Structure formats: C-alpha cells, structure tokens
Amino acid sequence: MAIVDDVEAAMGEYQQFPDGSGWAGVAGPEPGSSVGVIVPYDFALDRELWRWVPPTSSLHVTRTPFVASPVTADQARAISDPEPVRRAARDVLVPEPGVVAFACTSGSFVDGVTGERALVEVMVDAGSPQALTTAGALVTACAALEADRIAVVTPYVDDLTAKLEHFLAAHGVTTVNRIGLGLLGQIWRVSYSEVVRAVRAADHPDAQAVFISCTNLSTYDVIAELEREIGKPVLTANQVTMWAALGAVGHGAVGPGQALVGCRVPDGGRPVLRVVPDAAGGTEGDDAKDDDGTSLPALYKVRVLLPDESGALARLTAAVAEAGGNILSLSVHGQDSRSVVDEMLVGGAVSAARLGRVLRGALRTSRPDDVRVVVADPHELVDGPTRALDLVTQARSQDTGDAGGLVQGLAALLQADEVGVEPAEPDHDDTHALGLPAPDSGWLVARRGWAAFTVTERARAEAFLRAATAQPVRAGYELLLPDGEELVATPATGEEVTELDSLIRTCLAGSPAAAEAAETWTAADLRSVLRPPGGTCLVVRGADGTLVAAASLLAADGLNPAAGIEPVVLVHPLHQGQRLGRWLRRTLAATVTA
C-alpha cells in the first residue's frame, strides 16, 4: 500500500478522464510547437538546451558532418557551409518543427551580416517554416533588452573573437570590452568557475549587458547568479538561441532569474539589420530594393561573356560602378579563342535587375546568357584556392564510400543546382551539364540552369576530384602489436593539439590531482609537447586514425638546459601492456644518438 500511496502522491497533479483512465491534465506539445536545432558535430550540451524548453514544446537536434579542424575561423566556415546546413535542415524537418535554429555562434557570425542572412535563407529554402541563427538571436536579444553596449566573453582565439565584435558593430551594438580564452577545442570542458571568472573580468561600467559566446560553453546554472552579482543582464549563446526559437513558436523559455527570459521576442521572429548611418548620412533608396520592393542581399555573383580584346574589361568595371556596385573579386574563365567569361562578386546597394540592365546596356547585348546575375554565397568571398582546399578537406573527412562527400564538394565548388552519380556521360553539347568519371563506376554529373559550365570550371572540378580521391601516403613506422592490431607512428605536425589534450585526460582519468592540473594547461603547452625545441615527437594512430599514443623528447629541467632531455610517453589505457611504450622510448632514443 505504501508504494501505491507514493505513486498516487507523485501523480497528484494529474486529473482523471471521465472514464477514469487518467492523464486528462497532461497537454503534450502541439503540432508545429517544437524546435529543430542544427548544432556542430562536436556539440556536447544537448541537455543544457532542454533546460530552457517548457513541457508544451520539444526539441529535435541534428549535427553537421565531422570536420578535422581546431576551433578557428576556418572551422566556423566549414560548419556553416551551405550544403551541410541545407542537408541538416532537411533532416531535422522530418518531425515537423515550427522553427529551425542554427545553434553555432561562430558559424553564424564568421562571414558577417551577409553570411548570417545567407544561413537563414539556406534553412528556409530547405523547407523550414521559420529559421534563425545564434548570432541573429543575439542581436534580437540586445534589441529586446535595449542594450547597444555590451561586454563579450568567448572561448575563441583573438581573430575569431574580433569577427564577433565586427558582426555586432554592423548591427549597431558596441563591444566595450572583450575576453577570449584562446581555446582550440573541447570547449565543453570549461568549468562554471572559469566562466564566472571570465565574466567578472570582462564586465565594464559602460556595458549594459554581458554576452558569453559559444553554444558549446555550459552556462545555464550561472546566469541568474551572475546577473545578481553584476547588476545587469547576462546573455549566453544557448540562452538567446532557445529564447528566440521558442518565442518564434509562441512559447516562453524556462530560466528562473534570467533577465532575458522575462522579455518578449520582438515581432518578426528574427533580427532586422539596424541602419548605422555612414559619413554621408544616406540610406538605401529604390535601387537597393528588388522589383518586388523587398530588401536586397548585399552580394551578387555576376558572369559576363566578353570578347577577348583590349578595353573589354575596362568597359565592364565602369558599368558595375555606374550601377552602384563594388567589385569584391574577379576571375577570368577560358571560353574559346574569341571570348572569355569574367566572373565577379559584386556588393552594394543595387538590385540584381538594375545591375543586369546596366551591364547589358554597356556591353550592347540583349542575349540572356551574355550577362547573368544571381545571389552569391558569402563563402565565395574566401579566395578560390583556399575555398577549394577547404572543400577537399570536407570531402575526404565526410566520405563514407558512397561518393557523398564528392557530391557535396562538387556542388559547392561549381555552385551547381544538383550533382549525382549517373550511369552514362552527359551529352557533350549540353553546356549546362558537366560530367566526370566517378571513382568506382558511372559518372559524377553536375547540372545547373543559371549559367553554362566553362572550360576553367571543368579543370577545377577535375583537380578537385584528383585531390579528394588521392590515396594518402603512409609515412613513418608501421607497427604490429602482439594482439594483431596494426598501428602507424609518424612525426607530429603540431596540429594534434585537441587530440593530445583528449589523450592526456584519458590517461590521467581517476587521478584528482592530475585532473586539477589538466585544467591549467594551454594550447601553447600542448603544442610545445608536439613540437619540442630541438627534440622529436611521435604520434601513433590506429587503423581508424584515432590517436592512441604519443612520445616526446622534452627538457628534463626547463630552467636548466644542462639537465638534458628525457622521453615523455603517453599510451591509451586500451593499448597499454603491449610493449608500445617501450618501442616509443627506444625509437626516440635512436633519434638522439643518430
């Protein structure tokens, strides 16, 4: 009976249906009231997101594909690449959420205002009924709190923190002080005490609020206490994301004592760029609106077929200036012996229609294919070689044996409408289709309607395919353990900081003193182990590429060079007892005597 009484007490707030079946008082989430969330591949705080969610709503979380990169601007751009985001949005739309949120601060501010807008457009184009980003939600939160001067805490390196400051400035929000922790990975390991110290250090008398950046930084339990201590709102990446997303589907976030939670999400569901007056005091006129009167994107891709003759490029650039555009990049594509295709990225307060009209008039052509103007992807502002290398890296890291990584990489490289594997080569006369032999069988075929493919683009696609499918050269030592497992040992490059940090923490697990010491080492400390001055470091990987051991020759006494060097060896607990550590010490010793 005691057990029955306890259960009845626990269920006391629930009512009975008229037929006595119970649960009449429980109202589950209504259709369209849930939130879809796209998070980076390394996101570790799913439970924290749920803490802001009321019982009347729900969360559906999906992740972007893995990228082998430290937390830098390059990683942020890879995470926010349109193709992975579009695919993630389609995945998370299956349970029909009422809004989709891209929950990565750096990924949504790294390419500025234009990049944040493009992310929202990608999610909407994928079918999202509403869409927002963490960076956009931050701007909305500042507007709701009427805060245009804030202090900022980030876990990032300095250049990434600076990009956040520039993004906020474009929205009329001034950063009066900022602190970056300089972390390159495993941000979820930062403790509450470290967050509190950073906020105290960053707070400034002129700041109307403090923002803690990065959705992988745990903050829920310290927000209210910090607000009481410093006497102003404390905003965090996960908080602003969930507050804005839940508000978009008509729900309030759950956050006792948090100032933002008590504010209503402004009408419109997402931030609108504030007009920051320039020196001339002007704003956009009719030329800054499209034919339907809507606000314009800030970036266009323009393709123009020009005769290969002196003065042609000068006429083109003069026409862009006449239309009110600003050429941000220019590349020339080979076409035939008499003509070339000039491709430009053009920014400015001008509509696509006006830009196209002015260019056609200046070039005296009425043929549609001679001038093409389309909205551009902000990622294209990255120089071509860097962009291509990023796409190769993503293709190799995402390849699952079904050409999926190649398909996504080619689609992004060529700005194709679609890329797929087909049994036969496309018709050579179809200039809007480009075919390449697939690695296994069939043809990788890219198609697009907005512009024909050029000879230059075919060369780029072929080079991309060669680089993405090239077999890695196995350098270093091949090891065979007593249990039959094969390992590879190679010299460290210095880029294994995050992996080394994880290996050390695994090896020291269970030692309180060692765990406390682990909180004090920095990325620079780890890099000095990987690239010791005058010494050698070997890293050992399993067949799947996982780092399982490392050994480095370090100074025995950092204050006394005469003390010499000594080997420091780390072996993952699962690989200990197989003479791996002994082999590493012997090999390092051989490098000293050699």
Short mmCIF file of all heavy atoms in Angstrom, two decimals, residues 459-480:
data_model
loop_
_atom_site.label_atom_id
_atom_site.label_comp_id
_atom_site.label_asym_id
_atom_site.label_seq_id
_atom_site.Cartn_x
_atom_site.Cartn_y
_atom_site.Cartn_z
N ALA A 459 38.28 22.20 -65.46
CA ALA A 459 39.63 21.95 -64.95
C ALA A 459 39.64 21.96 -63.42
O ALA A 459 40.31 21.13 -62.78
CB ALA A 459 40.60 22.99 -65.49
N ARG A 460 38.90 22.89 -62.81
CA ARG A 460 38.82 22.94 -61.35
C ARG A 460 38.18 21.66 -60.79
O ARG A 460 38.63 21.11 -59.79
CB ARG A 460 38.00 24.15 -60.92
CG ARG A 460 38.68 25.50 -61.11
CD ARG A 460 37.75 26.62 -60.72
NE ARG A 460 38.35 27.93 -60.91
CZ ARG A 460 37.69 29.08 -60.79
NH1 ARG A 460 36.39 29.06 -60.48
NH2 ARG A 460 38.32 30.22 -60.97
N ALA A 461 37.09 21.24 -61.44
CA ALA A 461 36.39 20.04 -60.97
C ALA A 461 37.28 18.81 -61.08
O ALA A 461 37.29 17.96 -60.18
CB ALA A 461 35.10 19.85 -61.76
N GLU A 462 38.03 18.70 -62.16
CA GLU A 462 38.93 17.55 -62.33
C GLU A 462 40.02 17.57 -61.26
O GLU A 462 40.37 16.52 -60.70
CB GLU A 462 39.53 17.57 -63.73
CG GLU A 462 38.52 17.27 -64.84
CD GLU A 462 39.10 17.49 -66.23
OE1 GLU A 462 40.17 18.15 -66.33
OE2 GLU A 462 38.48 17.02 -67.21
N ALA A 463 40.58 18.76 -60.98
CA ALA A 463 41.62 18.86 -59.95
C ALA A 463 41.06 18.53 -58.57
O ALA A 463 41.71 17.85 -57.76
CB ALA A 463 42.21 20.27 -59.95
N PHE A 464 39.83 19.00 -58.30
CA PHE A 464 39.18 18.68 -57.03
C PHE A 464 39.02 17.17 -56.86
O PHE A 464 39.30 16.61 -55.80
CB PHE A 464 37.82 19.38 -56.96
CG PHE A 464 36.93 18.88 -55.85
CD1 PHE A 464 37.06 19.38 -54.56
CD2 PHE A 464 35.97 17.90 -56.09
CE1 PHE A 464 36.25 18.92 -53.54
CE2 PHE A 464 35.16 17.43 -55.07
CZ PHE A 464 35.31 17.95 -53.79
N LEU A 465 38.56 16.51 -57.92
CA LEU A 465 38.32 15.07 -57.85
C LEU A 465 39.62 14.31 -57.62
O LEU A 465 39.68 13.36 -56.84
CB LEU A 465 37.64 14.61 -59.14
CG LEU A 465 36.92 13.26 -59.09
CD1 LEU A 465 35.85 13.27 -58.02
CD2 LEU A 465 36.31 12.94 -60.45
N ARG A 466 40.71 14.74 -58.29
CA ARG A 466 42.00 14.08 -58.09
C ARG A 466 42.48 14.23 -56.65
O ARG A 466 42.95 13.27 -56.03
CB ARG A 466 43.05 14.66 -59.05
CG ARG A 466 42.89 14.24 -60.50
CD ARG A 466 44.14 14.56 -61.29
NE ARG A 466 44.44 15.99 -61.30
CZ ARG A 466 43.98 16.86 -62.18
NH1 ARG A 466 43.18 16.45 -63.14
NH2 ARG A 466 44.31 18.13 -62.13
N ALA A 467 42.35 15.46 -56.10
CA ALA A 467 42.82 15.70 -54.74
C ALA A 467 41.97 14.97 -53.71
O ALA A 467 42.48 14.43 -52.73
CB ALA A 467 42.82 17.20 -54.45
N ALA A 468 40.65 14.97 -53.93
CA ALA A 468 39.74 14.37 -52.95
C ALA A 468 39.82 12.85 -52.92
O ALA A 468 39.49 12.23 -51.91
CB ALA A 468 38.31 14.81 -53.23
N THR A 469 40.24 12.25 -54.05
CA THR A 469 40.27 10.78 -54.11
C THR A 469 41.68 10.21 -54.03
O THR A 469 41.85 8.99 -54.08
CB THR A 469 39.61 10.29 -55.41
OG1 THR A 469 40.29 10.87 -56.54
CG2 THR A 469 38.14 10.68 -55.46
N ALA A 470 42.69 11.09 -53.90
CA ALA A 470 44.07 10.61 -53.82
C ALA A 470 44.27 9.78 -52.56
O ALA A 470 43.79 10.14 -51.48
CB ALA A 470 45.04 11.79 -53.84
N GLN A 471 44.97 8.67 -52.69
CA GLN A 471 45.24 7.81 -51.55
C GLN A 471 46.38 8.39 -50.74
O GLN A 471 47.40 8.79 -51.28
CB GLN A 471 45.61 6.39 -52.02
CG GLN A 471 44.47 5.68 -52.71
CD GLN A 471 43.26 5.52 -51.80
OE1 GLN A 471 43.39 5.11 -50.65
NE2 GLN A 471 42.09 5.86 -52.32
N PRO A 472 46.21 8.48 -49.42
CA PRO A 472 47.27 9.06 -48.59
C PRO A 472 48.52 8.19 -48.59
O PRO A 472 48.45 6.96 -48.65
CB PRO A 472 46.63 9.11 -47.19
CG PRO A 472 45.58 8.04 -47.21
CD PRO A 472 45.06 8.02 -48.62
N VAL A 473 49.66 8.88 -48.56
CA VAL A 473 50.94 8.17 -48.47
C VAL A 473 51.24 7.90 -47.00
O VAL A 473 51.26 8.83 -46.18
CB VAL A 473 52.07 9.02 -49.08
CG1 VAL A 473 53.41 8.30 -48.92
CG2 VAL A 473 51.78 9.30 -50.55
N ARG A 474 51.40 6.65 -46.66
CA ARG A 474 51.64 6.29 -45.27
C ARG A 474 53.13 6.46 -44.97
O ARG A 474 53.98 5.70 -45.44
CB ARG A 474 51.20 4.85 -45.00
CG ARG A 474 49.72 4.63 -45.25
CD ARG A 474 49.30 3.25 -44.83
NE ARG A 474 49.29 3.12 -43.39
CZ ARG A 474 49.00 1.98 -42.77
NH1 ARG A 474 48.73 0.90 -43.46
NH2 ARG A 474 49.01 1.94 -41.46
N ALA A 475 53.46 7.50 -44.18
CA ALA A 475 54.83 7.78 -43.81
C ALA A 475 55.08 7.32 -42.39
O ALA A 475 54.16 7.10 -41.62
CB ALA A 475 55.10 9.28 -43.93
N GLY A 476 56.36 7.17 -42.04
CA GLY A 476 56.70 6.83 -40.68
C GLY A 476 56.89 5.33 -40.49
O GLY A 476 57.39 4.62 -41.37
N TYR A 477 56.44 4.84 -39.33
CA TYR A 477 56.65 3.45 -38.95
C TYR A 477 55.32 2.69 -38.93
O TYR A 477 54.33 3.20 -38.40
CB TYR A 477 57.28 3.36 -37.55
CG TYR A 477 58.55 4.14 -37.38
CD1 TYR A 477 58.50 5.47 -36.98
CD2 TYR A 477 59.79 3.55 -37.58
CE1 TYR A 477 59.66 6.21 -36.79
CE2 TYR A 477 60.96 4.27 -37.39
CZ TYR A 477 60.89 5.60 -37.00
OH TYR A 477 62.04 6.32 -36.82
N GLU A 478 55.33 1.48 -39.46
CA GLU A 478 54.16 0.61 -39.35
C GLU A 478 54.43 -0.41 -38.25
O GLU A 478 55.46 -1.09 -38.25
CB GLU A 478 53.89 -0.10 -40.67
CG GLU A 478 53.50 0.86 -41.80
CD GLU A 478 53.08 0.13 -43.06
OE1 GLU A 478 53.19 -1.11 -43.08
OE2 GLU A 478 52.65 0.79 -44.02
N LEU A 479 53.50 -0.49 -37.29
CA LEU A 479 53.70 -1.33 -36.11
C LEU A 479 52.65 -2.44 -36.08
O LEU A 479 51.49 -2.22 -36.45
CB LEU A 479 53.59 -0.50 -34.83
CG LEU A 479 54.41 0.79 -34.76
CD1 LEU A 479 54.08 1.54 -33.48
CD2 LEU A 479 55.88 0.48 -34.84
N LEU A 480 53.05 -3.61 -35.63
CA LEU A 480 52.13 -4.72 -35.43
C LEU A 480 52.21 -5.14 -33.97
O LEU A 480 53.24 -5.61 -33.49
CB LEU A 480 52.50 -5.90 -36.33
CG LEU A 480 51.59 -7.13 -36.23
CD1 LEU A 480 50.17 -6.77 -36.69
CD2 LEU A 480 52.14 -8.28 -37.06
#
